[in-house]
Amino acid sequence: MHIKIYEITHTSINKASQISSRFFDSTEWQAVSSGSFGLLCKNFKIEVRGKDFADISVDVDESGFYSHFIGYGGPDVDYVNSDDLEEIISALERIINKPCKRLKLYPFVKVGHYSQSSFIQKTTSVLHLTNLSFKKEVLYEIRKAQSRAVSVRKLSSKEDIKDFYKIYNETAERVGSDYRTPISVFHTISQIEGSFILGAFKEGRLIAGSVFLCSVEWSYFWWNASNTEGRSLSANYLVMSEAIAILQRQGVFFLDMASSHSPAIRRFKTLWGAKEMAYFEYSK
């Protein structure tokens, strides 16, 4: 495989993200990566045997580069051979002069010949929004929240995000997570067209919230938070119900609910009808 890679502007690669489902390659998300995480975002054109093959964007820090630091990345193709991809990674390592720390392909990208490669097959939970099939328990939990006068709306003001961040910190502490996403990330997401943060309220108090990142046919459910009152009132079920309605109106077909790190989280997604879908990750 004769590969040539050269750097391009973010404008070039962003054209593809505007008409595809590759949210984490968008200019808006690159601004988050650089502004909130201090990463250097670089974009490259890949030529194979003198012909355009793909574009790829990466996030660079002192230790190496990612595609991406948060979310999916890799070449903007629907299919790639793992041997070719390892060659591309090696070429990028030579150009950037740093190691590839992680490259996580979107679940809609198919990988050929990966059994003996450095790629690991993992799974994420994906909900097909045009063919919903959720359990009766979901309807019960939604009605429970509605009967307790829980309301849902988008969060956009500084005070909204500040209140959400308090609940996010409570949730992270409860599940034993040491990492905290900077609050600036949520401020920026609330202003990205198509993406949104939904909050559940009880008598004017924010009790739960979820983040939805959207790009054309795919959306990504990346952060979820609730306090004790929110969990007791099943607020997250009402939030998810409202989010699905919004996504359907936007013409989104799939909701990626991310990987599950506990049986309780996996059960929540299964109740909504989410199915496991494979994706591939290269990491060092």
Side-chain angles (χ1 to χ4, degrees), residues 1-5 46-49 84 87-89 91 94:
M1 187 181 187
H2 182 68
I3 298 174
K4 181 180 179 181
I5 298 179
I46 304 168
E47 289 185 357
V48 177
R49 300 181 186 90
D84 294 342
E87 284 193 48
I88 291 170
I89 291 171
R94 290 192 296 271

PDB file of all heavy atoms in Angstrom, residues 1-5 46-49 84 87-89 91 94:
ATOM      1  N   MET A   1       0.848  -1.192   0.000  1.00  0.00           N
ATOM      2  CA  MET A   1       0.000   0.000   0.000  1.00  0.00           C
ATOM      3  C   MET A   1       0.888   1.248   0.000  1.00  0.00           C
ATOM      4  O   MET A   1       1.601   1.504   0.971  1.00  0.00           O
ATOM      5  CB  MET A   1      -0.914   0.018   1.229  1.00  0.00           C
ATOM      6  CG  MET A   1      -1.940   1.143   1.227  1.00  0.00           C
ATOM      7  SD  MET A   1      -2.960   1.100   2.723  1.00  0.00           S
ATOM      8  CE  MET A   1      -4.172   2.368   2.333  1.00  0.00           C
ATOM      9  N   HIS A   2       0.890   1.995  -1.108  1.00  0.00           N
ATOM     10  CA  HIS A   2       1.701   3.197  -1.220  1.00  0.00           C
ATOM     11  C   HIS A   2       0.902   4.385  -0.683  1.00  0.00           C
ATOM     12  O   HIS A   2      -0.067   4.829  -1.280  1.00  0.00           O
ATOM     13  CB  HIS A   2       2.101   3.431  -2.674  1.00  0.00           C
ATOM     14  CG  HIS A   2       2.973   4.630  -2.865  1.00  0.00           C
ATOM     15  ND1 HIS A   2       4.271   4.694  -2.384  1.00  0.00           N
ATOM     16  CD2 HIS A   2       2.724   5.839  -3.452  1.00  0.00           C
ATOM     17  CE1 HIS A   2       4.781   5.870  -2.678  1.00  0.00           C
ATOM     18  NE2 HIS A   2       3.877   6.585  -3.321  1.00  0.00           N
ATOM     19  N   ILE A   3       1.322   4.899   0.486  1.00  0.00           N
ATOM     20  CA  ILE A   3       0.564   5.938   1.180  1.00  0.00           C
ATOM     21  C   ILE A   3       1.306   7.266   1.150  1.00  0.00           C
ATOM     22  O   ILE A   3       2.512   7.330   1.363  1.00  0.00           O
ATOM     23  CB  ILE A   3       0.310   5.537   2.653  1.00  0.00           C
ATOM     24  CG1 ILE A   3      -0.529   4.269   2.723  1.00  0.00           C
ATOM     25  CG2 ILE A   3      -0.387   6.664   3.407  1.00  0.00           C
ATOM     26  CD1 ILE A   3      -0.692   3.741   4.120  1.00  0.00           C
ATOM     27  N   LYS A   4       0.553   8.315   0.895  1.00  0.00           N
ATOM     28  CA  LYS A   4       1.063   9.670   1.022  1.00  0.00           C
ATOM     29  C   LYS A   4       0.096  10.456   1.886  1.00  0.00           C
ATOM     30  O   LYS A   4      -1.115  10.434   1.649  1.00  0.00           O
ATOM     31  CB  LYS A   4       1.199  10.335  -0.354  1.00  0.00           C
ATOM     32  CG  LYS A   4       1.755  11.758  -0.296  1.00  0.00           C
ATOM     33  CD  LYS A   4       1.868  12.352  -1.685  1.00  0.00           C
ATOM     34  CE  LYS A   4       2.405  13.787  -1.616  1.00  0.00           C
ATOM     35  NZ  LYS A   4       2.496  14.403  -2.976  1.00  0.00           N
ATOM     36  N   ILE A   5       0.604  11.118   2.907  1.00  0.00           N
ATOM     37  CA  ILE A   5      -0.241  11.870   3.835  1.00  0.00           C
ATOM     38  C   ILE A   5       0.281  13.302   3.936  1.00  0.00           C
ATOM     39  O   ILE A   5       1.480  13.522   4.081  1.00  0.00           O
ATOM     40  CB  ILE A   5      -0.256  11.225   5.237  1.00  0.00           C
ATOM     41  CG1 ILE A   5      -0.853   9.817   5.160  1.00  0.00           C
ATOM     42  CG2 ILE A   5      -1.044  12.075   6.222  1.00  0.00           C
ATOM     43  CD1 ILE A   5      -0.888   9.088   6.482  1.00  0.00           C
ATOM     44  N   ILE A  46      -5.237  11.622   3.028  1.00  0.00           N
ATOM     45  CA  ILE A  46      -4.557  10.350   2.788  1.00  0.00           C
ATOM     46  C   ILE A  46      -4.719   9.987   1.320  1.00  0.00           C
ATOM     47  O   ILE A  46      -5.847   9.893   0.818  1.00  0.00           O
ATOM     48  CB  ILE A  46      -5.136   9.227   3.676  1.00  0.00           C
ATOM     49  CG1 ILE A  46      -5.073   9.616   5.155  1.00  0.00           C
ATOM     50  CG2 ILE A  46      -4.383   7.918   3.430  1.00  0.00           C
ATOM     51  CD1 ILE A  46      -5.881   8.695   6.057  1.00  0.00           C
ATOM     52  N   GLU A  47      -3.613   9.802   0.642  1.00  0.00           N
ATOM     53  CA  GLU A  47      -3.629   9.335  -0.745  1.00  0.00           C
ATOM     54  C   GLU A  47      -3.049   7.928  -0.806  1.00  0.00           C
ATOM     55  O   GLU A  47      -2.046   7.633  -0.147  1.00  0.00           O
ATOM     56  CB  GLU A  47      -2.815  10.262  -1.642  1.00  0.00           C
ATOM     57  CG  GLU A  47      -3.453  11.615  -1.893  1.00  0.00           C
ATOM     58  CD  GLU A  47      -2.649  12.446  -2.881  1.00  0.00           C
ATOM     59  OE1 GLU A  47      -1.568  11.969  -3.321  1.00  0.00           O
ATOM     60  OE2 GLU A  47      -3.091  13.558  -3.214  1.00  0.00           O
ATOM     61  N   VAL A  48      -3.685   7.073  -1.571  1.00  0.00           N
ATOM     62  CA  VAL A  48      -3.204   5.707  -1.769  1.00  0.00           C
ATOM     63  C   VAL A  48      -2.982   5.497  -3.260  1.00  0.00           C
ATOM     64  O   VAL A  48      -3.906   5.654  -4.064  1.00  0.00           O
ATOM     65  CB  VAL A  48      -4.201   4.673  -1.221  1.00  0.00           C
ATOM     66  CG1 VAL A  48      -3.703   3.254  -1.508  1.00  0.00           C
ATOM     67  CG2 VAL A  48      -4.402   4.865   0.271  1.00  0.00           C
ATOM     68  N   ARG A  49      -1.753   5.189  -3.618  1.00  0.00           N
ATOM     69  CA  ARG A  49      -1.377   4.984  -5.021  1.00  0.00           C
ATOM     70  C   ARG A  49      -1.793   6.169  -5.891  1.00  0.00           C
ATOM     71  O   ARG A  49      -2.323   6.009  -6.992  1.00  0.00           O
ATOM     72  CB  ARG A  49      -1.982   3.690  -5.554  1.00  0.00           C
ATOM     73  CG  ARG A  49      -1.530   2.446  -4.782  1.00  0.00           C
ATOM     74  CD  ARG A  49      -2.127   1.165  -5.333  1.00  0.00           C
ATOM     75  NE  ARG A  49      -1.772   0.039  -4.482  1.00  0.00           N
ATOM     76  CZ  ARG A  49      -2.523  -0.354  -3.444  1.00  0.00           C
ATOM     77  NH1 ARG A  49      -3.631   0.295  -3.154  1.00  0.00           N
ATOM     78  NH2 ARG A  49      -2.148  -1.374  -2.703  1.00  0.00           N
ATOM     79  N   ASP A  84      -4.177  -1.970   6.182  1.00  0.00           N
ATOM     80  CA  ASP A  84      -3.997  -0.644   5.593  1.00  0.00           C
ATOM     81  C   ASP A  84      -4.066   0.437   6.666  1.00  0.00           C
ATOM     82  O   ASP A  84      -3.302   1.408   6.636  1.00  0.00           O
ATOM     83  CB  ASP A  84      -5.078  -0.384   4.537  1.00  0.00           C
ATOM     84  CG  ASP A  84      -4.948  -1.309   3.336  1.00  0.00           C
ATOM     85  OD1 ASP A  84      -3.867  -1.901   3.163  1.00  0.00           O
ATOM     86  OD2 ASP A  84      -5.938  -1.441   2.576  1.00  0.00           O
ATOM     87  N   GLU A  87      -0.921   0.769   8.559  1.00  0.00           N
ATOM     88  CA  GLU A  87       0.063   1.511   7.763  1.00  0.00           C
ATOM     89  C   GLU A  87      -0.185   3.017   7.847  1.00  0.00           C
ATOM     90  O   GLU A  87       0.745   3.812   7.929  1.00  0.00           O
ATOM     91  CB  GLU A  87       0.025   1.056   6.302  1.00  0.00           C
ATOM     92  CG  GLU A  87       0.692  -0.280   6.038  1.00  0.00           C
ATOM     93  CD  GLU A  87       0.892  -0.515   4.552  1.00  0.00           C
ATOM     94  OE1 GLU A  87       1.397   0.404   3.871  1.00  0.00           O
ATOM     95  OE2 GLU A  87       0.547  -1.610   4.077  1.00  0.00           O
ATOM     96  N   ILE A  88      -1.464   3.383   7.798  1.00  0.00           N
ATOM     97  CA  ILE A  88      -1.826   4.800   7.911  1.00  0.00           C
ATOM     98  C   ILE A  88      -1.405   5.344   9.269  1.00  0.00           C
ATOM     99  O   ILE A  88      -0.838   6.442   9.370  1.00  0.00           O
ATOM    100  CB  ILE A  88      -3.341   4.978   7.695  1.00  0.00           C
ATOM    101  CG1 ILE A  88      -3.701   4.694   6.235  1.00  0.00           C
ATOM    102  CG2 ILE A  88      -3.793   6.387   8.099  1.00  0.00           C
ATOM    103  CD1 ILE A  88      -5.196   4.610   5.974  1.00  0.00           C
ATOM    104  N   ILE A  89      -1.653   4.571  10.322  1.00  0.00           N
ATOM    105  CA  ILE A  89      -1.263   4.995  11.670  1.00  0.00           C
ATOM    106  C   ILE A  89       0.253   5.168  11.761  1.00  0.00           C
ATOM    107  O   ILE A  89       0.757   6.149  12.318  1.00  0.00           O
ATOM    108  CB  ILE A  89      -1.770   3.991  12.718  1.00  0.00           C
ATOM    109  CG1 ILE A  89      -3.298   4.060  12.821  1.00  0.00           C
ATOM    110  CG2 ILE A  89      -1.142   4.260  14.092  1.00  0.00           C
ATOM    111  CD1 ILE A  89      -3.914   2.965  13.664  1.00  0.00           C
ATOM    112  N   ALA A  91       2.298   5.857   9.346  1.00  0.00           N
ATOM    113  CA  ALA A  91       2.673   7.045   8.573  1.00  0.00           C
ATOM    114  C   ALA A  91       2.381   8.325   9.358  1.00  0.00           C
ATOM    115  O   ALA A  91       3.182   9.263   9.356  1.00  0.00           O
ATOM    116  CB  ALA A  91       1.921   7.045   7.238  1.00  0.00           C
ATOM    117  N   ARG A  94       4.974   8.931  11.992  1.00  0.00           N
ATOM    118  CA  ARG A  94       6.219   9.500  11.454  1.00  0.00           C
ATOM    119  C   ARG A  94       6.064  10.999  11.192  1.00  0.00           C
ATOM    120  O   ARG A  94       6.976  11.792  11.496  1.00  0.00           O
ATOM    121  CB  ARG A  94       6.607   8.783  10.158  1.00  0.00           C
ATOM    122  CG  ARG A  94       7.068   7.346  10.360  1.00  0.00           C
ATOM    123  CD  ARG A  94       7.717   6.785   9.120  1.00  0.00           C
ATOM    124  NE  ARG A  94       6.787   6.697   8.001  1.00  0.00           N
ATOM    125  CZ  ARG A  94       6.007   5.633   7.749  1.00  0.00           C
ATOM    126  NH1 ARG A  94       6.059   4.579   8.560  1.00  0.00           N
ATOM    127  NH2 ARG A  94       5.211   5.619   6.706  1.00  0.00           N
TER     128      ARG A  94
END
